[in-house]
Amino acid sequence: MEKELSRSRRYGYEMVLLSIGVDRIDSLGDIYGHDSKAHVIEEVARLLTASTRSCDYLGCLIGDRILALFPHTTEVGAQSISNRLLAASRELEFSADGPQVSITVTVGIAEPDNDRDLETLIARATKASREGQDSGGDCWRVWEESAATDGQSEASSRPT
């Protein structure tokens, strides 16, 4: 991901990073065990792969989050990917010796800027995703720099 970020800066092409979190994943793990969390995250990763071209992104799993870097993709393209992923995840259900549980995800979207590193980009996308989850989940959010003069940044909510 670091190399791709460097290439995008060097050659001037757009890219976005998605931080994808399964809504209420900790509760699912508490009720059904750690293996259930791994299974659901694996299914969401499968949906991501199925809803994009395999050459479109570089992805990895960090904790309970799927990170996906999309070179040559604009914010609008990321929103389209996110909408497809949200719709597909709503079709997922998990069941383990109990009632079926619906699965939803929240996606944080961040674009790099020239003076930021990969860790900052990941932190921004993840913060946008967590804020979306905190406000109910099953949505996507775009990280945007705040116009505030104090230099603080915030995640900007966008409806799906």
Side-chain angles (χ1 to χ4, degrees):
M1 288 183 157
E2 281 279 358
K3 289 180 182 180
E4 193 62 40
L5 182 59
S6 294
R7 271 193 288 276
S8 83
R9 287 185 180 133
R10 186 171 46 249
Y11 298 114
Y13 59 83
E14 296 193 69
M15 91 170 17
V16 293
L17 179 82
L18 304 185
S19 176
I20 304 154
V22 177
D23 299 330
R24 301 168 307 282
I25 191 72
D26 289 333
S27 298
L28 181 73
D30 290 344
I31 296 168
Y32 298 107
H34 181 73
D35 289 345
S36 64
K37 286 174 60 171
H39 174 73
V40 169
I41 291 169
E42 186 176 294
E43 286 299 306
V44 171
R46 185 186 58 73
L47 289 177
L48 179 63
T49 301
S51 63
T52 60
R53 298 179 308 187
S54 61
C55 63
D56 279 346
Y57 77 95
L58 305 167
C60 67
L61 182 65
I62 297 182
D64 291 340
R65 300 228 160 248
I66 299 169
L67 300 177
L69 187 67
F70 289 84
H72 306 285
T73 304
T74 63
E75 180 183 309
V76 172
Q79 293 168 7
S80 178
I81 293 165
S82 298
N83 284 331
R84 286 194 306 267
L85 185 58
L86 289 170
S89 70
R90 291 178 192 125
E91 302 295 319
L92 287 178
E93 291 184 340
F94 176 79
S95 177
D97 299 331
Q100 289 194 346
V101 177
S102 296
I103 304 298
T104 59
V105 299
T106 299
V107 181
I109 302 169
E111 294 179 292
D113 52 23
N114 289 330
D115 61 338
R116 305 291 181 195
D117 57 11
L118 181 61
E119 291 79 24
T120 302
L121 185 63
I122 291 169
R124 288 175 170 184
T126 299
K127 183 173 182 187
S129 176
R130 288 194 195 286
E131 288 182 1
Q133 286 177 317
D134 290 347
S135 64
D138 195 22
C139 63
W140 54 262
R141 283 194 174 200
V142 174
W143 174 271
E144 293 179 348
E145 287 292 327
S146 172
T149 57
D150 63 4
Q152 295 296 316
S153 300
E154 60 190 34
S156 175
S157 178
R158 304 263 177 102
T160 58

